Amino acid sequence: MTRSDETEYGDKSSEPTNSVFQKLKGRIEGRKARIAVIGLGYVGLPLAVEFARSGFRVTGIDTEKAKIDKISSGISYVRDVPSGELQRQVRAGRLEATDDFSRLLEMDCVSICVPTPLRKTRDPDVSSIVSAARQIAKYLHRGELVVLESTTYPGTTDELILPMLQATGLKVGKDFFLGFSPERVDPGNKRFMTKNIPKVVGGVTPRCSDIAVALYRCSMSSVVPVSSTKVAEMVKLLENTFRSVNIGLVNEIALMCDKMKIDVWEVIEAAASKPFGFMPFYPGPGLGGHCIPIDPFYLSWKAKLSGFEARFIELAGQVNGSMPYHVVNKVGEALNSVRKSINGSKILLLGVAYKADVDDSRESPALDIYQILTGLGAEVSYCDPHIPEIRTDRFNIKAKPLTPDLLEKADCVVITTAHSAFDYRFIASKAKLVFDSRNALKGLKSSKIWRL
Ligand SMILES: NC(=O)c1ccc[n+]([C@@H]2O[C@H](COP(=O)([O-])OP(=O)(O)OC[C@H]3O[C@@H](n4cnc5c(N)ncnc54)[C@H](O)[C@@H]3O)[C@@H](O)[C@H]2O)c1
């Protein structure tokens, strides 16, 4: 669907606006529009707060009661949202949270920020989107704007959500408006946050696009309109596939350098001195988080349905997925150099978050490394100042405090996440053997330090 087929829907090119459109636009521009954000996680909560900060009354809707209670008490559970800011918005009556979907009846605009994981077969699991869309359809009314923000395959808005909403008898572009705007937030990034990351927006029809652009212009520093929801969906997948493939490439270069006895970190640092045509990516123990290891497979799944094999995505997935095994092999080599085996060794993992200075361990490669090492008979423990406990369907473990005794007693310390809270000189001085998968010990030289 592109703008050229717009007459299939409610928009008529001869009729650029209608009264429903005008009324909603007026409510948005006057900050009178009521906004609902469905899904109050790492993406939804910062977005809800940003809308509230720009003067809207926002209702967050989530199925998790604990999150609703925390928001109502002004306690933030997302690191990028300070509790003080949350409290200000709650006290001013601009932000509230509920699990009652019937409140959608009061809303002018709805943003969907629910999770989009993969199934075990690596197929998209869009069940949360479907369930949210079902609730929206149940309470859909004239003059409402619905925007999907969850990362998903191109076509989700047009092919999955639109039919559910139009089944109510209301017509898109005329009675209600529908668009897609990818969330591009980078948890832990102090420079670029929800407000100042440019917001790409695509509507099902031109009016849908115009009204969604009007909404985001009120709250975001810059808005980038695109011609369709499919383009907007694809933008996000291109961005994350770009990262996955480049990390896959640099991981392969790291494996190559290991065989050729070349320091890959020094190579990247020197290559990054080129002022054009090169962008540094860094190797590591594997991909983690809720985006980069998952999103490209949404794209390859959809491409397969069109008879297209996304080879770069699959290859990067293989290389990146092999990195935890490479780390374990290198830990085995390091232990072997001091006449020890993985089996029976005490191994301490430093950092289980998927990246530095965040409290999110979803898809973290450290969890795979933990499981492979314990499977080989190692006695594995971990320290992470941001993640006191890990509960997965594979295992439940608690963090240990990082003490000199713990470091000295470990047969090998593995740096899996380069948190800035770790004192790396102290770690290097106390540990008997270190395997550094992040170059956190850059500049330190010792025969007991092994690097990726
Ligand atoms: N985390 C990131 O860094 C990031 C960045 C950009 C985009 N995204 C994308 O944004 C989306 C949300 O990710 P997230 O990290 O915020 O997830 P999250 O798991 O932190 O939060 C999702 C929230 O949605 C709630 N939820 C689930 N199903 C629901 C339903 N049917 N109705 C109401 N609430 C429901 C959950 O209880 C949870 O609070 C995903 O598509 C993700 O890929 C995430």
Side-chain angles (χ1 to χ4, degrees):
M1 158 74 197
T2 63
R3 276 176 179 236
S4 57
D5 355 89
E6 68 202 40
T7 47
E8 195 187 306
Y9 300 115
D11 280 22
K12 298 272 184 299
S13 43
S14 57
E15 186 196 355
T17 62
N18 68 0
S19 60
V20 177
F21 172 94
Q22 290 297 4
K23 196 170 158 211
L24 179 56
K25 196 157 184 239
R27 285 180 64 75
I28 288 172
E29 287 171 352
R31 305 293 195 274
K32 294 273 183 292
R34 297 283 307 278
I35 301 178
V37 174
I38 301 182
L40 299 167
Y42 288 94
V43 160
L45 185 61
L47 181 70
V49 169
E50 214 43 68
F51 280 137
R53 271 161 52 94
S54 50
F56 291 103
R57 271 179 69 198
V58 183
T59 303
I61 306 181
D62 203 289
T63 44
E64 216 180 291
K65 185 85 176 58
K67 285 186 176 158
I68 293 161
D69 292 343
K70 281 199 170 147
I71 294 172
S72 308
S73 327
I75 301 166
S76 174
Y77 46 82
V78 172
R79 196 166 282 246
D80 293 341
V81 175
S83 287
E85 185 57 53
L86 187 69
Q87 277 158 24
R88 240 189 316 283
Q89 300 309 329
V90 172
R91 281 201 198 120
R94 282 192 296 266
L95 181 64
E96 59 169 358
T98 179
D99 58 359
D100 178 4
F101 283 89
S102 72
R103 298 286 310 280
L104 287 171
L105 276 171
E106 302 159 36
M107 302 299 150
D108 299 287
C109 308
V110 184
S111 234
I112 309 172
C113 303
V114 296
T116 44
L118 286 174
R119 298 188 190 284
K120 285 215 161 69
T121 49
R122 292 206 160 185
D123 289 348
D125 175 358
V126 290
S127 54
S128 293
I129 294 183
V130 170
S131 140
R134 238 179 238 136
Q135 294 288 352
I136 294 170
K138 193 168 162 193
Y139 300 106
L140 191 68
H141 48 269
R142 289 188 97 211
E144 189 174 346
L145 165 68
V146 177
V147 183
L148 177 62
E149 296 224 7
S150 301
T151 308
T152 182
Y153 58 82
T156 309
T157 313
D158 278 9
E159 296 159 12
L160 187 70
I161 299 187
L162 181 60
M164 291 173 77
L165 302 191
Q166 293 218 116
T168 59
L170 295 175
K171 211 159 173 48
V172 73
K174 180 167 171 265
D175 302 314
F176 73 94
F177 308 95
L178 176 63
F180 182 85
S181 178
E183 183 49 65
R184 303 158 108 185
V185 73
D186 178 22
N189 192 324
K190 300 267 177 278
R191 189 164 161 228
F192 294 108
M193 297 188 232
T194 304
K195 170 120 192 125
N196 64 348
I197 298 172
K199 201 83 178 93
V200 170
V201 177
V204 172
T205 71
R207 268 190 219 135
C208 295
S209 176
D210 290 351
I211 203 82
V213 167
L215 173 67
Y216 289 108
R217 283 221 170 109
C218 293
S219 304
M220 309 300 163
S221 312
S222 109
V223 177
V224 183
V226 294
S227 65
S228 67
T229 54
K230 273 189 186 154
V231 168
E233 288 158 339
M234 191 70 178
V235 165
K236 174 74 186 178
L237 295 181
L238 168 62
E239 289 166 8
N240 283 1
T241 301
F242 171 83
R243 283 192 63 74
S244 162
V245 167
N246 277 289
I247 295 168
L249 172 66
V250 82
N251 274 332
E252 188 172 78
I253 298 283
L255 298 177
M256 207 185 288
C257 283
D258 182 56
K259 289 269 180 236
M260 295 160 75
K261 308 255 179 287
I262 297 170
D263 181 343
V264 69
W265 304 99
E266 190 183 349
V267 172
I268 297 167
E269 198 176 321
S273 66
K274 189 177 181 186
F276 52 88
F278 183 82
M279 182 188 283
F281 283 84
Y282 298 95
L287 294 182
H290 191 35
C291 294
I292 314 292
I294 294 173
D295 303 348
F297 292 101
Y298 267 68
L299 183 53
S300 63
W301 175 85
K302 186 66 180 177
K304 252 184 226 142
L305 295 184
S306 311
F308 188 88
E309 202 69 41
R311 287 164 296 171
F312 273 106
I313 292 177
E314 297 298 331
L315 185 59
Q318 282 165 22
V319 175
N320 293 326
S322 75
M323 292 312 287
Y325 295 91
H326 177 67
V327 168
V328 170
N329 282 343
K330 296 305 288 181
V331 169
E333 266 183 48
L335 283 166
N336 193 51
S337 72
V338 290
R339 296 170 183 262
K340 285 182 184 163
S341 63
I342 288 178
N343 194 352
S345 283
K346 286 191 174 65
I347 298 180
L348 175 64
L349 302 184
L350 294 185
V352 290
Y354 78 88
K355 68 172 182 175
D357 302 335
V358 300
D359 58 359
D360 188 354
S361 63
R362 288 178 296 179
E363 316 289 329
S364 173
L367 306 185
D368 292 328
I369 292 170
Y370 176 89
Q371 197 173 18
I372 303 166
L373 286 171
T374 45
L376 291 171
E379 201 183 300
V380 190
S381 52
Y382 86 92
C383 298
D384 192 313
H386 306 294
I387 302 184
E389 190 176 5
I390 299 172
R391 285 176 178 274
T392 70
D393 50 2
R394 298 184 271 173
F395 48 80
N396 296 337
I397 37 169
K398 285 197 165 135
K400 293 204 165 153
L402 185 55
T403 60
D405 190 50
L406 191 68
L407 286 166
E408 279 161 358
K409 286 205 173 123
D411 296 298
C412 185
V413 172
V414 185
I415 300 175
T416 28
T417 313
H419 288 312
S420 52
F422 289 137
D423 179 343
Y424 291 105
R425 281 190 178 275
F426 174 74
I427 290 162
S429 70
K430 294 290 171 200
K432 290 198 277 257
L433 191 64
V434 187
F435 182 76
D436 180 4
S437 72
R438 300 283 191 179
N439 203 23
L441 304 183
K442 183 182 170 190
L444 294 182
K445 285 203 164 46
S446 161
S447 59
K448 69 180 183 182
I449 298 174
W450 287 60
R451 283 193 176 80
L452 184 79

